[in-house]
Amino acid sequence: MVAVLGLALQKKEGTDIAEGGIKTFVGFLVLTGGAGVITSALDPFGKMFMAAFHVQGVVPNNEAFTATALGKYGSATALILLVALVVNVILARFSHFKYIYLSGHVMINMSCMLAVLLAVAGFTEVPSIIIGGTFLGLFDTIMPALIQPFVKKVTNSDEIAIAHTGDFGYLISGLVAKAFGDPSKTTEDINVPKKVSFLRDNTIAVTVTMAVAYIIVAIAAGPTYVAKFSGGINYLIYALIEAGSFSAGVYIMLAGVRMILNELIPAFKGISEKLVPGAKAGLDIPILFPFAPNAVIIGFFASFVGGLVATVMMIIFHTTIVIPGVVAHFMCGATAGVIGNSVGGRRGAVIGAFTQGVAISWVPILLIPVLGHLGLGTASFADADFGVVGSIVGYSGLSAGRTGIIVALVACLVLFFLASAIMEKRAKATK
């Protein structure tokens, strides 16, 4: 719909509008289809990991929580999302922050969390829709702005932004990488000996890397446990197949990214020129992956190691144990690695993604006091923005009920427009 509207505002021919709309639609389906393949391949990996190392606890998975909660909060979730879209466009139109959040699938998860938190605080459906939609629209406008300097560094342009519920984590990654990294040595210049030069091919590199990880975990879990997933296939062969499936998912996802960029960005200029002058399209994180393929894998493993370190810390300090969410550490860790590499090189990719991995491991613990008592304590949200937004709304409700949440919303709006005014003044001063 965004592509169609953008092309229509540019007064393109009907055939061009149809072509742009259909290709964008298919591109998003290809991207989400690839992400689905990756998720399916990582799911048994996570289960084998837990069995191999005998750990149990909260599993950070956005979709699992949403699927559980939608039965009761489905209508509120959908309407909060609708209000958020409107609020996002209005705020982008009348503030310095010209970002239109287009990652609808992660908006659904955030809408669901807000619906649950506001219901727990005692709001009836209509007030919760208005308040939740305003909260979500506000954060959808400001979060992409926080990491735009890093996105510009990665893409060497200012045409696109990143709209994802891990934006705050990527901000942390970028700041840490900039402080402690070395931008002179990028992950993409890693010297590969001639004998293994075939590993320069991203598909092969991903497959080989993941095959090693899968085989180690499969051996640790044992053939008896792996047989629960393998359907009679030899457990080592099954590990290789899942590694290949993961790589195939990455390949499919990147094909979807190319389709979206080719169609949506030119179409989005119509919206930018007519509805929200200077607007930037906020897109999902795989958009960044082609810019630094090596950093994607490095970031994933660094983030996952960060999750393991955080789990050990939880065991030592006798807190609730959060199992490293493999999907979250891949998607968010890869993005943190790409951003860390852009400002801090190889060291920045590792340190930035590792720090991000530690940070998102504590998000479920932050949310347990406000979500755990709903009977959903074994599943929680994974990405950093859930911790930020959920803490503001949830703890305001815990401390002062509905009044506390309304005060928090007003305070956030005041800070938003204050920041907008300051940035606008700076922009004029530099002209």
Side-chain angles (χ1 to χ4, degrees):
M1 289 177 66
V2 170
V4 168
L5 177 60
L7 292 168
L9 288 171
Q10 295 178 66
K11 298 181 179 179
K12 296 287 186 179
E13 296 289 336
T15 52
D16 293 334
I17 294 173
E19 179 182 346
I22 291 170
K23 284 189 175 180
T24 304
F25 169 63
V26 173
F28 270 106
L29 290 179
V30 172
L31 189 154
T32 54
V37 173
I38 290 172
T39 302
S40 297
L42 288 177
D43 182 59
F45 181 89
K47 291 176 179 176
M48 288 188 291
F49 178 87
M50 286 189 284
F53 300 103
H54 308 290
V55 288
Q56 292 293 330
V58 174
V59 179
N61 187 292
N62 305 329
E63 289 72 23
F65 187 99
T66 300
T68 306
L70 278 181
K72 187 174 182 180
Y73 301 100
S75 60
T77 296
L79 293 171
I80 286 173
L81 176 60
L82 177 62
V83 172
L85 291 169
V86 175
V87 170
N88 180 203
V89 172
I90 293 172
L91 292 178
R93 176 67 179 84
F94 295 104
S95 78
H96 177 79
F97 305 109
K98 308 294 183 182
Y99 301 93
I100 306 298
Y101 207 98
L102 299 179
S103 300
H105 58 299
V106 295
M107 290 177 69
I108 292 172
N109 296 325
M110 188 70 81
S111 298
C112 182
M113 182 186 72
L114 288 168
V116 172
L117 291 174
L118 293 169
V120 169
F123 285 101
T124 56
E125 190 165 69
V126 173
S128 74
I129 290 166
I130 296 171
I131 293 171
T134 305
F135 259 120
L136 182 55
L138 172 63
F139 280 97
D140 285 350
T141 310
I142 194 63
M143 283 301 187
L146 293 178
I147 62 166
Q148 189 60 15
F150 298 117
V151 175
K152 287 167 63 177
K153 188 75 173 176
V154 172
T155 63
N156 292 316
S157 75
D158 199 21
E159 288 189 345
I160 61 171
I162 293 301
H164 188 258
T165 44
D167 280 352
F168 193 77
Y170 312 142
L171 173 64
I172 294 172
S173 172
L175 293 174
V176 171
K178 190 172 183 179
F180 300 102
D182 178 9
S184 66
K185 297 180 179 179
T186 173
T187 58
E188 306 315 297
D189 290 337
I190 294 175
N191 293 321
V192 180
K194 288 184 178 180
K195 290 183 179 179
V196 290
S197 60
F198 67 96
L199 290 174
R200 288 185 180 274
D201 184 295
N202 189 51
T203 301
I204 294 174
V206 171
T207 304
V208 171
T209 303
M210 294 307 298
V212 172
Y214 271 92
I215 288 174
I216 290 172
V217 172
I219 292 173
T224 303
Y225 184 82
V226 177
K228 296 180 180 180
F229 314 105
S230 63
I233 301 173
N234 176 275
Y235 75 113
L236 294 180
I237 299 298
Y238 175 75
L240 290 174
I241 291 172
E242 291 302 305
S245 297
F246 176 90
S247 182
V250 173
Y251 185 89
I252 295 167
M253 188 169 62
L254 294 180
V257 167
R258 287 189 288 271
M259 287 187 70
I260 292 169
L261 288 177
N262 289 340
E263 302 298 329
L264 185 59
I265 300 306
F268 195 79
K269 290 180 180 177
I271 292 177
S272 175
E273 292 169 358
K274 297 293 176 67
L275 295 182
V276 185
K280 297 178 181 63
L283 303 174
D284 198 7
I285 48 179
I287 293 294
L288 296 184
F289 292 178
F291 291 95
N294 291 342
V296 168
I297 300 303
I298 291 171
F300 166 40
F301 281 107
S303 179
F304 190 73
V305 170
L308 293 176
V309 170
T311 300
V312 172
M313 292 168 61
M314 294 167 195
I315 294 171
I316 292 173
F317 292 107
H318 304 289
T319 67
T320 300
I321 296 174
V322 177
I323 307 302
V326 184
V327 175
H329 283 293
F330 172 71
M331 293 296 186
C332 298
T335 309
V338 172
I339 287 176
N341 175 66
S342 71
V343 293
R346 302 172 195 173
R347 190 193 306 163
V350 173
I351 297 175
F354 176 87
T355 305
Q356 185 272 163
V358 173
I360 64 172
S361 299
W362 293 94
V363 168
I365 292 180
L366 285 174
L367 296 177
I368 282 173
V370 292
L371 293 175
H373 66 284
L374 295 174
L376 303 170
T378 57
S380 186
F381 293 104
D383 306 341
D385 291 3
F386 291 107
V388 175
V389 180
S391 294
I392 291 173
V393 177
Y395 287 100
S396 296
L398 278 181
S399 61
R402 288 173 289 182
T403 302
I405 291 176
I406 294 171
V407 170
L409 176 58
V410 172
C412 287
L413 286 169
V414 170
L415 290 173
F416 173 84
F417 284 108
L418 181 62
S420 175
I422 293 172
M423 294 300 294
E424 196 68 31
K425 187 176 180 179
R426 286 183 180 178
K428 290 179 179 178
T430 56
K431 287 182 179 180

